[in-house]
């Protein structure tokens, strides 16, 4: 007979769309962070202390210390495709499964990268503010001139699922596509006529540079002062991946000094803080990490994160496991 004590417990670090929570509640006792904010470290430790499964967000720092608070923790299900917030090596050492939510947010994130490309290139936000402020006094041949997107060169750093979805959209804009990754991606060359080049070559030639790489020790600050100086003066940088891929202080300097033309950013080095000076720059469009933020996609992420968690706890292979070596 199962008593309440022996019921499997799940800790969810923040309210996510209900269909995911409902899936978990069918099987388990589910505790959800009651606050509409990121938990403090102590609150996180308290929640994990008695949980068999953890459903967490990219804003939770899941360190070895968090794992060690509870020897019964079996699975960490991240509500994100990126999992740089989890010490995966530490989890693997402890036999804890780590899962993520790839695929379902690919198109949604690629759409947002495109929204930023178009918004910075065509000064959409500046124009909106200008109009709202009552400054529009009629058509003006020299008003808010931007740059063409059609026919330009797009540089994609990281040709994974999201990079490829960005490339697919670029074909509709007749763009030349360059990309850089750890190795050539043949499908991108066949389907999108994308050309594999060294990072500096991509930076030197591209009119728009968009980042779709994971954050790792190797990719941290892959775009710094030197890389920005290699870019064209008239080029734009777009980042919808992870903030620390870019040296944000160097980026603010480059934008201020006219080293590059502008930037469209959805992610920041020290979220939710912005580098000093960034918010004052007119040649940027800055969003609050909205890459996967549609109702449809966030709901799919919730059910996928729940399905990963249920599979792990039922002794089945989770559909999206990051460290399969623990199985
Ligand atoms: C969002 O940034 C994600 O990694 O899912
Ligand atoms: C993530 O989904 C990627 O591989 O780009």
């Amino acid at each position: 007979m199962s008593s309440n004590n022996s019921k499997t417990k799940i800790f969810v670090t923040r309210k996510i769309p209900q269909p995911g929570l409902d899936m978990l509640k069918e099987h388990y006792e589910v505790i959800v962070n009651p606050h509409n904010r990121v938990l403090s470290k102590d609150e996180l430790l308290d929640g994990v202390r008695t949980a068999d499964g953890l459903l967490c967000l990219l804003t939770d720092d899941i360190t070895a210390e968090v794992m060690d608070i509870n020897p019964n923790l079996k699975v960490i299900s991240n509500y994100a495709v990126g999992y740089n917030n989890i010490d995966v090596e530490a989890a693997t050492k402890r036999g804890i499964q780590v899962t993520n939510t790839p695929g379902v947010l690919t198109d949604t994130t690629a759409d947002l990268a495109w929204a930023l490309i178009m918004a910075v290139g065509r000064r959409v936000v500046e124009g909106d503010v200008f109009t709202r402020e009552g400054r529009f006094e009629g058509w003006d041949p020299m008003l808010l001139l931007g740059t063409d997107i059609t026919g330009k060169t797009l540089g994609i750093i990281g040709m994974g699922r999201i990079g490829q979805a960005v490339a697919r959209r670029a074909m509709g804009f007749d763009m030349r596509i360059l990309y850089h990754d750890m190795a050539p991606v043949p499908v991108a060359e066949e389907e999108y006529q994308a050309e594999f080049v060294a990072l500096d070559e991509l930076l030197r030639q591209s009119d728009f540079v968009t980042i779709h790489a994971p954050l790792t020790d190797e990719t941290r600050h892959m775009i710094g002062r030197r890389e920005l100086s290699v870019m064209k003066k008239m080029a734009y940088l777009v980042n919808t991946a992870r903030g620390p891929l870019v040296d944000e202080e160097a980026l603010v300097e480059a934008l201020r000094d006219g080293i590059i033309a502008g930037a469209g950013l959805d992610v920041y080095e020290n979220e939710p803080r912005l580098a000093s000076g960034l918010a004052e720059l007119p040649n940027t469009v800055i969003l609050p990490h909205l890459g996967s933020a549609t109702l449809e996609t966030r709901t799919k992420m919730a059910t996928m994160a729940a399905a990963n968690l249920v599979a792990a706890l039922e002794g089945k292979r989770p559909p999206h496991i990051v460290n399969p070596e623990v199985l």
Side-chain angles (χ1 to χ4, degrees):
M1 241 178 66
S2 76
S3 74
N4 211 33
N5 269 348
S6 66
K7 197 164 180 191
T8 301
K9 289 194 181 71
I10 310 295
F11 184 59
V12 181
T13 63
R14 188 98 180 243
K15 175 150 174 40
I16 59 168
Q18 195 62 37
L21 295 176
D22 289 344
M23 277 173 67
L24 296 175
K25 284 178 180 163
E26 261 179 50
H27 305 263
Y28 312 119
E29 180 180 340
V30 181
I31 297 168
V32 183
N33 165 10
H35 313 290
N36 184 23
R37 58 164 171 79
V38 178
L39 294 173
S40 69
K41 186 172 155 196
D42 284 341
E43 290 169 327
L44 178 62
L45 290 173
D46 268 349
V48 174
R49 199 178 309 259
T50 55
D52 302 278
L54 172 65
L55 195 152
C56 59
L57 315 186
L58 60 94
T59 43
D60 301 310
D61 203 6
I62 310 298
T63 57
E65 187 188 350
V66 173
M67 300 171 200
D68 286 338
I69 199 80
N70 176 5
N72 293 321
L73 184 67
K74 292 175 194 69
V75 51
I76 299 168
S77 171
N78 211 37
Y79 181 73
V81 64
Y83 46 83
N84 53 285
N85 57 304
I86 300 171
D87 186 341
V88 177
E89 207 181 298
T92 303
K93 267 198 206 131
R94 289 158 179 76
I96 301 172
Q97 301 180 43
V98 176
T99 66
N100 70 337
T101 62
V104 286
L105 48 65
T106 299
D107 285 321
T108 306
T109 306
D111 287 347
L112 193 83
W114 266 96
L116 284 172
I117 290 169
M118 303 195 80
V120 281
R122 296 301 303 273
R123 306 178 70 170
V124 169
V125 176
E126 273 179 279
D128 179 276
V129 170
F130 181 90
T131 308
R132 278 172 206 279
E133 288 176 346
R135 292 158 64 199
F136 179 39
E137 291 175 352
W139 192 85
D140 172 344
M142 300 306 282
L143 179 62
L144 288 171
L145 303 187
T147 187
D148 274 330
I149 294 159
T150 299
K152 291 288 177 69
T153 298
L154 177 66
I156 300 178
I157 300 175
M159 195 51 110
R161 287 169 290 247
I162 298 171
Q164 289 174 41
V166 168
R168 188 174 316 130
R169 286 153 178 74
M171 294 183 80
F173 290 90
D174 293 328
M175 295 180 96
R176 174 173 176 233
I177 304 171
L178 305 178
Y179 76 100
H180 180 72
D181 207 318
M182 290 190 313
V185 180
V187 66
E189 313 204 352
E190 286 150 24
E191 306 249 329
Y192 315 118
Q193 285 81 55
E195 189 186 332
F196 181 70
V197 290
L199 181 59
D200 273 15
E201 200 51 38
L202 180 148
L203 296 170
R204 212 182 322 277
Q205 293 197 39
S206 298
D207 301 297
F208 293 87
V209 172
T210 183
I211 309 177
H212 303 286
L215 175 62
T216 64
D217 289 342
E218 287 72 42
T219 61
R220 186 175 300 271
H221 278 197
M222 70 187 296
I223 302 297
R225 188 165 285 110
R226 190 195 70 77
E227 289 74 20
L228 290 161
S229 74
V230 174
M231 288 176 67
K232 291 184 184 177
K233 244 174 120 68
M234 283 309 298
Y236 296 81
L237 180 70
V238 169
N239 188 6
T240 52
R242 283 292 181 268
L245 293 163
V246 178
D247 178 344
E248 199 169 302
E249 251 179 61
L251 176 62
V252 169
E253 258 178 51
L255 290 164
R256 187 185 287 144
D257 299 347
I259 306 295
I260 65 171
L265 305 174
D266 189 39
V267 290
Y268 306 88
E269 200 169 346
N270 297 296
E271 288 178 24
R273 272 191 298 121
L274 307 183
S276 159
L278 179 61
E280 286 77 51
L281 294 167
N283 52 345
T284 57
V285 175
I286 53 177
L287 298 179
H289 205 147
L290 297 180
S292 64
T294 67
L295 187 57
E296 298 95 322
T297 289
R298 287 284 167 84
T299 303
K300 285 184 202 148
M301 287 166 65
T303 54
M304 180 178 271
N308 280 328
L309 206 145
V310 172
L313 290 173
E314 302 305 313
K316 303 196 182 103
R317 187 192 173 93
H320 299 286
I321 183 150
V322 166
N323 56 348
E325 60 273 28
V326 299
L327 293 177

